[in-house]
Amino acid sequence: MTIIFVLTSILSNGQTLEDYFKVAAENNPGLLSQYKDFEAALQKVPQVKALPDPNLSFGYFISPVETRVGPQKARFSLTQMFPWFGTLKAQGDAAALMAEAKYQSFLDARNKLYYEVSAAYFPLYELKEWVRIEEDNIAILESYRTVSNTKFKNGLGSLVDVLRVDVLLKEARTNLGILKHKEIPLLASFNKLLDRKEDEQINIPETFGVNVLPIDYVKDSLVVDHPLLNSLELKVKAAAASERAALKQGLPKVGVGLDYVMVDKRTDMVVPDNGKDVLMPMVTLSLPLFRGKYRAAEKEAQLMQESYALQKKEVTNTLKTNYEMAVFDIRQQTDLISLFDEQIMESEQALNLLFTAYGNSGKDFEEVLRMQQQLLKYTKLKISALTQYEIALAKFNYITAKK
């Protein structure tokens, strides 16, 4: 079974990365906008499933129309049109499927936001560790300066050794100042995703634990339940429902109505039903003779189905490619972490031997400093590899839509 190492952050106190995910999901304007878009799409369903409004008309006869039972004074007409059977259901299905597709797009936007939060979070960990490492380096160099200065005063060392330490100390202090200034833009970038004040402080992980996670099963299910693919599949179904609705809209519409005519009594003669108002039921049938717009609507829906199907295929290919690259990045950083661990251990051993030899002879101080800077480099590189590993893992989780 193929396996990869997964680094899990452990915070000594305060909020975890999962907590920041929740804050971002609740506050991020872009994500909230996506959810509002989904809610707005839901409101489309009752609109397209509703019957058209009934028509009520009123007419007044300025010159009364004489009839056998008396002159007509006014007319009321009420008509309700009904689309062909199944039209409203097809329209409702299309709208509901498009709303569900927007919800899947919202889920993908949420997963992407989680990745962006992670990608902005772990550089802050890297910065914190680099600051700590540089501070430790300064403390060590200061101790080296004290030792080299003492040996110089006792005639066991040279002034060049002291100057070499001074040069490295100035470089280290400058690097430390630059690192501390870097916190401002990193904090601003992170807090912007959470829609918070730019300078609001966050909790940074103190340690990392290493676990093992199988990934073969994830690849097998990559295209089974991914929000992007689900969204496009739902759009295909929505376009199919739109095609059915367009077909039915091209069929006749039936209307039923009622006419009510107010009649005055005749005064010139007596007739049966004199002055009796008239109540007349009516049936209306539309004639969809101009077929161009209906054929165009059907063709549009068919083309949209083809478009969404091609988009789905493209997204599937992209996801598979990105998956392989994410797995490669994770394994690459895992190998680098192992390598730097070994180099750090061996460099520490060499440094201890060199410093002991220098303490006895007062010679080869330059080698001591070189090994100390090499140890510093490997320690920083390990922290960077840990950071890039976590970012690669966050990307892997986004690509696989891991909950």
Side-chain angles (χ1 to χ4, degrees), residues 95-275:
L97 288 166
M98 285 301 295
E100 193 174 348
K102 288 182 179 292
Y103 181 73
Q104 292 296 321
S105 296
F106 159 75
L107 292 180
D108 179 69
R110 182 201 62 185
N111 294 343
K112 186 177 182 181
L113 176 63
Y114 289 170
Y115 163 66
E116 292 172 347
V117 170
S118 298
Y121 177 79
F122 288 105
L124 285 162
Y125 162 77
E126 179 184 44
L127 177 64
K128 178 184 175 182
E129 288 300 298
W130 275 36
V131 167
R132 179 187 60 78
I133 292 168
E134 203 64 68
E135 289 173 344
D136 291 345
N137 180 47
I138 290 173
I140 291 171
L141 290 175
E142 287 176 343
S143 69
Y144 284 178
R145 190 182 189 284
T146 301
V147 172
S148 62
N149 193 41
T150 301
K151 284 189 173 292
F152 169 67
K153 290 179 179 179
N154 294 333
L156 299 176
S158 67
L159 181 59
V160 173
D161 293 339
V162 179
L163 294 176
R164 285 194 181 105
V165 179
D166 285 339
V167 169
L168 293 176
L169 272 171
K170 289 179 182 178
E171 181 182 348
R173 286 168 180 155
T174 299
N175 290 338
L176 181 61
I178 293 172
L179 288 174
K180 289 184 176 179
H181 289 310
K182 189 179 180 181
E183 182 183 20
I184 296 174
L186 290 181
L187 271 178
S189 176
F190 180 83
N191 284 318
K192 185 181 75 170
L193 294 170
L194 276 63
D195 196 31
R196 307 193 308 182
K197 294 180 180 178
E198 292 184 354
D199 58 350
E200 189 164 342
Q201 294 298 310
I202 70 169
N203 292 293
I204 306 298
E206 299 291 344
T207 58
F208 287 101
V210 179
N211 294 326
V212 175
L213 177 71
I215 62 171
D216 280 348
Y217 77 94
V218 180
K219 184 177 181 180
D220 294 337
S221 61
L222 178 62
V223 297
V224 174
D225 189 27
H226 194 285
L228 276 178
L229 299 179
N230 290 343
S231 175
L232 290 169
E233 181 61 28
L234 287 166
K235 287 180 179 179
V236 171
K237 294 178 180 179
S242 295
E243 182 183 359
R244 293 194 299 272
L247 177 63
K248 292 181 178 296
Q249 285 169 355
L251 298 175
K253 298 177 179 63
V254 179
V256 295
L258 191 66
D259 273 13
Y260 177 75
V261 182
M262 298 176 63
V263 180
D264 269 353
K265 290 184 177 181
R266 297 188 62 163
T267 57
D268 57 341
M269 67 178 64
V270 177
V271 296
D273 298 326
N274 188 19

Side-chain angles (χ1 to χ4, degrees), residues 5-115:
F5 292 102
V6 179
L7 304 179
T8 55
S9 304
I10 303 174
L11 297 185
S12 57
N13 50 50
Q15 289 179 298
T16 66
L17 182 57
E18 291 291 334
D19 294 326
Y20 289 126
F21 286 162
K22 294 177 182 177
V23 175
E26 293 172 357
N27 297 338
N28 184 267
L31 187 62
L32 295 178
S33 172
Q34 288 267 15
Y35 192 76
K36 293 297 181 183
D37 193 29
F38 156 65
E39 289 187 316
L42 284 177
Q43 301 307 311
K44 189 75 174 176
V45 179
Q47 296 179 51
V48 299
K49 290 181 68 175
L51 288 170
D53 292 333
N55 292 322
L56 176 64
S57 60
F58 169 75
Y60 183 79
F61 295 96
I62 298 176
S63 298
V65 178
E66 293 290 342
T67 65
R68 183 183 66 81
V69 294
Q72 297 180 3
K73 292 181 57 180
R75 179 191 296 266
F76 294 89
S77 294
L78 179 65
T79 306
Q80 174 66 64
M81 296 299 295
F82 294 91
W84 195 259
F85 304 103
T87 302
L88 296 181
K89 183 181 184 304
Q91 293 178 170
D93 290 344
L97 288 166
M98 285 301 295
E100 193 174 348
K102 288 182 179 292
Y103 181 73
Q104 292 296 321
S105 296
F106 159 75
L107 292 180
D108 179 69
R110 182 201 62 185
N111 294 343
K112 186 177 182 181
L113 176 63
Y114 289 170
Y115 163 66

Side-chain angles (χ1 to χ4, degrees), residues 281-325:
M282 298 179 60
V283 176
T284 305
L285 185 69
S286 69
L287 300 177
L289 300 178
F290 305 105
R291 307 295 304 170
K293 61 180 179 180
Y294 303 114
R295 286 193 294 268
E298 291 178 42
K299 187 63 177 178
E300 178 188 8
Q302 292 168 0
L303 291 172
M304 290 308 301
Q305 290 178 68
E306 295 174 12
S307 173
Y308 292 138
L310 291 171
Q311 289 180 46
K312 183 180 178 182
K313 185 176 181 180
E314 176 67 13
V315 170
T316 300
N317 293 338
T318 301
L319 284 174
K320 290 180 178 179
T321 301
N322 290 342
Y323 174 90
E324 296 298 341
M325 286 302 301

